[in-house]
Amino acid sequence: MYAIITGASKGIGRAVAERLAAEGFDIAICARHADTLETARAAVAAKRPGTKVLAEVVDMGRKEEVVAFGKKVAAAMGEAPDILVNNAGIFVPGAVHEEEEGHLENMMAVNLYSAYHLTRLLLPGMKAAQKGHIFNLCSTASHKAYPNGGSYSITKFALLGFSKNLREEMKPFRVKVTSISPGPTWTASWQGFEGPEDRLMEPEDVAAMIWAAYNLSEQAVVEDILMRPMLGDIE
């Protein structure tokens, strides 16, 4: 069995990859930067002796690279992943009325279209196998508009819509779909935050929720997971 996690060189993606490797999965990961990706590959492989880890440098904002990654993974590890975690995304704060021209298109390419294209590529194998669990990493910004959210929030609303629509479509094929929406978490998006360490969630918290949702019986699925720090949002 194997899992695919996009945007997995650090933060939530890496935490999920490490957790699933420790639980017995072979792993396919991708990220934009070769150096951090190699560090993540080694860390994931170290979680369990014999773990197969495929790590590819991919710009998830480019459709052709997303599709090439999906085809390479399917050829190397099988056409029907047990778990697909669409985690790749970028966060750039701003306001709709002040953003540069093309900003929304760039954010959509990474935060929405990458998940759309990779999922569509893998769905035929998952449908044929009548199995698999797709997790889409949304955000609390998928549910509520925040000041300075701008195009980021728009793309995360769209990703949640994609996830909900996919859930309905996959019911007859027994492919599970879960949207998971974390609030503030210790990731690159929160670099420079000077609050107390316990004010933000840990990436491992998100990984634990994915693992818990995956382990339900075949006849049960968690459709939406909304996570926030104990003290709530940071605005």
Side-chain angles (χ1 to χ4, degrees):
M1 57 186 181
Y2 83 97
I4 303 172
I5 306 97
T6 65
S9 63
K10 52 190 174 181
I12 291 172
R14 175 169 163 175
V16 173
E18 290 186 13
R19 177 62 186 266
L20 295 180
E23 298 291 351
F25 287 77
D26 289 330
I27 302 294
I29 58 175
C30 65
R32 284 181 296 170
H33 303 295
D35 53 347
T36 54
L37 181 63
E38 172 54 28
T39 300
R41 186 206 62 76
V44 172
K47 285 296 177 180
R48 180 177 54 86
T51 301
K52 181 179 180 180
V53 183
L54 176 65
E56 292 289 318
V57 175
V58 180
D59 181 348
M60 296 300 286
R62 297 177 62 86
K63 177 182 177 180
E64 61 271 24
E65 293 191 28
V66 174
V67 171
F69 171 67
K71 289 181 177 178
K72 185 166 187 176
V73 172
M77 308 184 82
E79 295 185 354
D82 297 274
I83 297 176
L84 168 62
V85 182
N86 287 310
N87 171 71
I90 53 175
F91 170 71
V92 180
V96 170
H97 67 282
E98 296 174 341
E99 294 171 341
E100 294 181 0
E101 186 68 27
H103 183 64
L104 175 61
E105 290 86 345
N106 292 335
M107 296 281 281
M108 289 289 278
V110 179
N111 293 354
L112 175 66
Y113 297 157
S114 67
Y116 175 83
H117 295 308
L118 183 58
T119 301
R120 276 170 48 86
L121 179 72
L122 296 166
L123 278 178
M126 299 173 81
K127 288 164 58 181
Q130 295 272 298
K131 70 167 189 174
H133 199 148
I134 300 167
F135 291 89
N136 294 311
L137 261 294
C138 300
S139 167
T140 52
S142 299
H143 302 263
K144 174 185 176 182
Y146 292 94
N148 222 29
S151 286
Y152 172 78
S153 186
I154 293 170
T155 63
K156 288 298 185 177
F157 267 95
L159 184 62
L160 180 61
F162 165 68
S163 194
K164 287 181 176 293
N165 196 73
L166 191 64
R167 159 67 179 139
E168 293 302 314
E169 292 181 6
M170 289 300 106
K171 285 178 180 178
F173 303 103
R174 307 192 71 81
V175 175
K176 297 184 180 184
V177 181
T178 300
S179 61
I180 180 164
S181 301
T185 308
W186 283 113
T187 63
S189 297
W190 285 89
Q191 283 182 347
F193 177 69
E194 297 180 351
E197 190 169 319
D198 63 355
R199 188 62 183 87
L200 275 64
M201 297 183 294
E202 298 286 348
E204 291 76 14
D205 294 326
V206 181
M209 290 304 298
I210 287 176
W211 182 242
Y214 176 75
N215 275 285
L216 297 181
S217 66
E218 289 186 3
Q219 62 266 34
V221 60
V222 177
E223 294 181 330
D224 298 285
I225 300 173
L226 184 62
M227 301 176 65
R228 284 190 171 91
M230 185 65 188
L231 296 179
D233 286 329
I234 299 171
E235 299 188 36

